[in-house]
Amino acid sequence: NSDQVVFDQGTQHREIRFHPPSLTETVARDGSAGALQLLRSVAGLLFLLTLVLAARGSVEAAILALVFLAAQWLARPIGGFLPAGLSPQFLEMVIALTVAYLAVEVVFLPEGRARWVIIPILGIIHGLPFAAFPPFYLVGATVVQVLILIALIVGAGRLPGGWRRYAAGFAGIAALGWFARLLMA
């Protein structure tokens, strides 16, 4: 019999039993841990907002979201080839910089047509925090991201056009503030 547990900075104790968990237990345990890991990432949540604001409509937002989520899954095999372990704080700082980059693009290049080129690269970066964990961590995070993205796409569809740039600018400033806070910690 075997059981597997994952310890990270948010979890210092886990239960290990002498019988293996069922598939349902594994999906629920790892999926909820991945969802919580995503919800604790301020930069990750700001990126979802900025991603939706970068699109010029609901259809484009859905396409960008799908490309982003697919690219996150590409980080799983790529993560094994990284030469050194990256700390969660470092990855959160990098994610905050991706928010700032995309926000700058939305503010200064509102009609930019090449966002589909950079979104997969940013998706791989956002998948790195989940690359070292069992796959159900990313499943849980993906489900939560889809729900958040749907709500944001519906909400962004009601925003006047000019407000998108201001909202993206605010998200970029908030991400830089979060980056600075993490840098000073």
Side-chain angles (χ1 to χ4, degrees), residues 16-47:
I16 297 178
R17 296 168 293 175
F18 290 104
H19 63 86
S22 69
L23 179 62
T24 306
E25 289 175 315
T26 302
V27 170
R29 179 187 63 199
D30 293 350
S32 62
L36 287 174
Q37 184 177 346
L38 170 77
L39 291 173
R40 278 183 261 168
S41 172
V42 173
L45 296 173
L46 283 171
F47 185 84

Side-chain angles (χ1 to χ4, degrees), residues 97-111:
L97 291 178
T98 65
V99 176
Y101 168 80
L102 192 57
V104 165
E105 188 171 313
V106 171
V107 170
F108 293 110
L109 298 169
E111 296 302 318

Side-chain angles (χ1 to χ4, degrees), residues 49-65 102 106 110 112 115 119 153 156 161 164:
L49 171 66
T50 310
L51 177 69
V52 170
L53 295 171
R56 284 175 285 285
S58 301
V59 173
E60 186 177 357
I63 291 170
L64 289 177
L102 192 57
V106 171
R115 293 194 180 117
I119 295 299
I153 289 170
R164 286 177 177 263

Side-chain angles (χ1 to χ4, degrees), residues 126-151:
H126 284 253
L128 288 176
F130 300 100
F133 293 100
F136 289 120
Y137 270 68
L138 189 53
V139 169
T142 301
V143 168
V144 171
Q145 285 176 331
V146 166
L147 295 174
I148 291 171
L149 285 166
I150 289 170

